[in-house]
Amino acid sequence: MMEDANGMYLSSPHAFAEPLVTPPEEPLEKKNTSASERLCSLDGMRGLTIAVMILVDNIGGDYPSVGHIYWNGFHFADFVFPFFLFMVGVSMALAFKKFSSSGNGSKLLLQRAVVRTAKLFALGFMIQGGAFPYYDLSTFRYCGILQRIAFAYFVITLMELYLPQRRNIMPGGRMYLFNRYVWHWVTAGIILFTYCMLTYVTQVPGCGRGQVTVECNAHRYWDEQILGYDHMYGDPTYSNSPECALPARPSWCALKYDPEGIVSTFTAILSTFLGMHFGHALIHFKAHKDRLQQWAPVSVVLFCLGIILHFTDALPMNKNLYSVSYLLFMGGSAGLCLMLFYYVVDMRQIQTPFLPFVWLGMNAIFIFVFSDSGGIASAVIKFLYYKTPDRNFLSWVQDTFFFSWMSHGAGTVIYTLIGIGFWMAVARYLHRKKWYWKV
């Protein structure tokens, strides 16, 4: 499966090496970039997100403020997945551009999208369907990170392919992208409305309508009705809350909940849509200043709306529910982060300090699948153990070289940082060999 990548968000070392061709009916703005453009900033931001993902997945248990929030609010780990989805959208806009000038580009793009969606679903089932490589079909988990990415990717592909664009309007101005892609925004509004209806209007037995607590919410109800309770995630974040560590813990601690469930996928799709909007700015505006002027207002408005909705308790941020305020705040944060990376890496050309993250970003799906986050590499290593499965090579390394002379928390941090360095070295080797894993 190693080959040059040419479009998928997670494997894009050359995704931006293609000329960004502008349709003939649309005049170009003043360019600051060459015809053959590549955004190292996007690779770097993606790679940094991968590194953060590995970090928080490993040390979150020792440092709860770094791991996922139990319910309302957000912690450091809660930035990771929305950022991924956002970058999917940015990369899609750029990768899809080359199909616009092809006579059968739409058909080819749809075929490729179907194949990649199926591959991502299959890979997601393999990683998160059970305890790799063992799967109990009675409790097989249908939802997961890669499955959600696949679904968002496919929906945004359909929007880009089949929704009309207003090509006859004059380019330029801060509202140009909203005017040109007005039907995309209308569709996004319909998706958001559907999420709100399912979340706040659904009559949940024993709970009524509009409840968004751990024990009472429509998201669990819809997942249970469609997927089946046994196929939902069995270790949700709230099960690790202080209340659930008490001897007389609340009954909701034992409830299953899928953070990548059906209803929350609607707003997750919109994170990818926001990334697509930012990618459209890269397509239609060539000057650095013009791109930043397109991104800045949207990022600030999204960021502030999310903050206001959360701290007024109108719509609290909630990663498990992928609430509206969470969608807005994380979309704005991702936009601001992209602006910072773009300014430093692509405009100022300060690239050397970010190269390790760029390498990670070029083979992000490979790193995700085989690192501790995906778990395939560690699962393979743990096949060999002494007497009991918890006495394996990895546990021996951790106990011997880390936990034996420092605290568990400090040892976990050092072990994880070394692991991130290892995966950076792997990514650099793959880059030097020009091997890029795509699905």
Side-chain angles (χ1 to χ4, degrees), residues 328-387:
L328 298 174
F329 174 73
M330 291 300 170
S333 300
L336 293 172
C337 188
L338 178 61
M339 289 176 61
L340 178 61
F341 265 84
Y342 183 77
Y343 176 76
V344 173
V345 177
D346 287 314
M347 291 178 62
R348 297 294 302 273
Q349 294 291 302
I350 304 175
Q351 298 182 354
T352 302
F354 299 96
L355 281 178
F357 299 113
V358 172
W359 299 328
L360 285 177
M362 289 176 172
N363 258 310
I365 194 168
F366 176 85
I367 304 301
F368 170 79
V369 169
F370 286 94
S371 68
D372 286 347
S373 299
I376 288 184
S378 60
V380 171
I381 294 174
K382 290 177 182 178
F383 267 127
L384 296 176
Y385 58 86
Y386 181 72
K387 292 186 178 180

Side-chain angles (χ1 to χ4, degrees), residues 161-213:
L161 281 177
Y162 297 112
L163 292 179
Q165 300 180 29
R166 299 174 63 192
R167 299 176 183 271
N168 57 346
I169 59 176
M170 291 294 294
R174 294 185 178 179
M175 296 302 295
Y176 170 69
L177 294 178
F178 294 97
N179 290 329
R180 174 159 181 156
Y181 295 96
V182 62
W183 289 109
H184 291 63
W185 283 94
V186 170
T187 304
I190 294 172
I191 293 173
L192 183 62
F193 177 77
T194 304
Y195 168 87
C196 292
M197 292 295 290
L198 292 173
T199 302
Y200 300 107
V201 181
T202 299
Q203 179 74 34
V204 179
C207 296
R209 293 186 174 92
Q211 297 294 315
V212 287
T213 61

Side-chain angles (χ1 to χ4, degrees), residues 124-126 128-130 135-143 147 230-232:
F125 288 151
M126 182 180 71
Q128 294 187 303
Y135 304 98
D136 182 352
L137 295 181
S138 67
T139 58
F140 188 86
R141 186 185 175 204
Y142 301 128
C143 299
Q147 296 94 309
D230 291 339
H231 298 280
M232 294 164 60

Side-chain angles (χ1 to χ4, degrees), residues 239-299:
S239 65
N240 299 312
S241 64
E243 296 91 333
C244 294
L246 299 174
R249 66 178 194 163
S251 59
W252 50 259
C253 293
L255 292 175
K256 289 187 174 184
Y257 182 86
D258 208 311
E260 284 82 45
I262 295 171
V263 178
S264 58
T265 298
F266 283 86
T267 36
I269 291 170
L270 297 182
S271 284
T272 307
F273 171 77
L274 292 174
M276 175 69 83
H277 178 79
F278 277 66
H280 285 155
L282 291 168
I283 297 298
H284 298 293
F285 296 87
K286 303 306 177 184
H288 294 316
K289 179 182 177 182
D290 291 340
R291 290 171 170 179
L292 293 178
Q293 286 179 343
Q294 290 294 316
W295 290 342
V298 179
S299 300

Side-chain angles (χ1 to χ4, degrees), residues 104-168:
N104 62 342
S106 296
K107 181 179 179 181
L108 178 62
L109 181 56
L110 180 60
Q111 291 173 347
R112 181 168 297 187
V114 170
V115 172
R116 285 182 169 172
T117 300
K119 288 181 178 179
L120 278 172
F121 264 101
L123 196 56
F125 288 151
M126 182 180 71
I127 295 175
Q128 294 187 303
F132 176 85
Y134 306 104
Y135 304 98
D136 182 352
L137 295 181
S138 67
T139 58
F140 188 86
R141 186 185 175 204
Y142 301 128
C143 299
I145 292 173
L146 291 181
Q147 296 94 309
R148 172 167 285 182
I149 291 174
F151 194 74
Y153 168 75
F154 189 69
V155 171
I156 299 301
T157 299
L158 295 179
M159 289 175 63
E160 193 73 358
L161 281 177
Y162 297 112
L163 292 179
Q165 300 180 29
R166 299 174 63 192
R167 299 176 183 271
N168 57 346

Side-chain angles (χ1 to χ4, degrees), residues 29 41 118:
E29 291 88 353
S41 55

